[in-house]
Amino acid sequence: MIAFPVWRVVDMAPTTSFPGHFGVFVEMMNSIETLVFPLLIVLITCLGFYQALVARYVANTRARVGVRVYLARRLASTTGCAAALFFVQTLTAFIVAYVVWPAVGDPSLESDVSAAQATAASYTDFAFGTFLRQGELFFGIAYSLWVALAAAAYAALAVCLLVTISNRILALASPFLLYVASDLTFALAGVPQLSFRASTFPMGLTGSDPLLVSAPNLLLAAFVIGFVVYAIRRAPTNPRLA
């Protein structure tokens, strides 16, 4: 899972020229994972809770642990796992692009593009170019945290939906359906930068306002926080946790 973006760029290297180290990073982050990002999160982090609900495991724990505590712990472990996994994956891609790639001789970098030109281009070819202006290390950590935040939001959303919607399969699928629907809706409206996918993976959004691009994920995070509070407060009377 973590190595998939690295494998992608290594496989592309013999036949592709990259415009600088940022170009290497972009190719890793533009893998097929970006199309199914919430689905991967749900499959990796939420199936355990789904199985616990099906087996009515919660009912067996209520005598030992309060249902609110149980749900809060589930949310913490699920979101923590999702955030940690995608933080490490994104940071690994950054390390490969900015540390490993130069160490092995910068294979397949465009020879007619200087390092300064490639760096200047990355400021405008990336909606979060302001991160890059603060330095490569700052960019690597800040962007990895951004992807981790999005992963945590989708994981928490799936958990909350599992205890809210009676159809558990629909609950698991809803984060992905929301993600795809936003992609299609805003692409047809001519503002693809407002989709959840573009907000998480904004490569190629030349000249886009970083605040505008970040808005969808920030709104999603705010909604999920409210949903989490609601789900935990309602837990003692929630029949799906009985």
Side-chain angles (χ1 to χ4, degrees), residues 9 164 222 236:
V9 81
T164 304

Side-chain angles (χ1 to χ4, degrees), residues 22-240:
F22 183 71
V24 177
F25 180 75
V26 165
E27 289 300 336
M28 282 189 275
M29 298 311 298
N30 274 343
S31 71
I32 193 173
E33 284 185 25
T34 66
L35 299 176
V36 293
F37 181 58
L39 183 61
L40 283 176
I41 294 165
V42 168
L43 292 177
I44 293 169
T45 66
C46 298
L47 291 185
F49 185 52
Y50 165 78
Q51 291 167 350
L53 290 175
V54 171
R56 299 184 65 83
Y57 174 77
V58 181
N60 298 327
T61 65
R62 291 185 71 136
R64 302 190 306 272
V65 180
V67 68
R68 282 178 176 161
V69 173
Y70 173 79
L71 181 57
R73 286 178 179 174
R74 274 290 187 175
L75 280 162
S77 63
T78 301
T79 57
C81 178
L85 175 62
F86 284 93
F87 175 83
V88 171
Q89 185 189 60
T90 307
L91 192 62
T92 299
F94 165 77
I95 291 171
V96 169
Y98 284 88
V99 178
V100 176
W101 216 256
V104 297
D106 284 331
S108 300
L109 289 195
E110 293 180 0
S111 57
D112 58 340
V113 177
S114 68
Q117 289 174 321
T119 300
S122 66
Y123 293 160
T124 56
D125 291 347
F126 183 49
F128 296 154
T130 184
F131 290 166
L132 278 163
R133 290 187 175 91
Q134 306 306 314
E136 292 174 355
L137 180 60
F138 179 87
F139 159 68
I141 294 174
Y143 183 63
S144 297
L145 287 171
W146 181 250
V147 176
L149 171 67
Y154 287 116
L157 178 61
V159 170
C160 290
L161 288 170
L162 278 170
V163 299
T164 304
I165 298 177
S166 57
N167 187 325
R168 295 187 179 115
I169 299 302
L170 177 60
L172 290 174
S174 290
F176 176 61
L177 295 176
L178 175 67
Y179 188 79
V180 172
S182 79
D183 225 14
L184 294 175
T185 300
F186 289 112
L188 291 173
V191 282
Q193 65 270 31
L194 294 181
S195 71
F196 291 120
R197 181 163 70 97
S199 188
T200 309
F201 307 104
M203 287 71 182
L205 295 179
T206 305
S208 296
D209 184 346
L211 291 177
L212 185 66
V213 173
S214 63
N217 273 2
L218 293 176
L219 290 173
L220 176 65
F223 171 78
V224 169
I225 289 171
F227 200 178
V228 166
V229 172
Y230 168 78
I232 292 175
R233 292 189 63 178
R234 183 173 174 266
T237 58
N238 188 333
R240 293 177 186 85

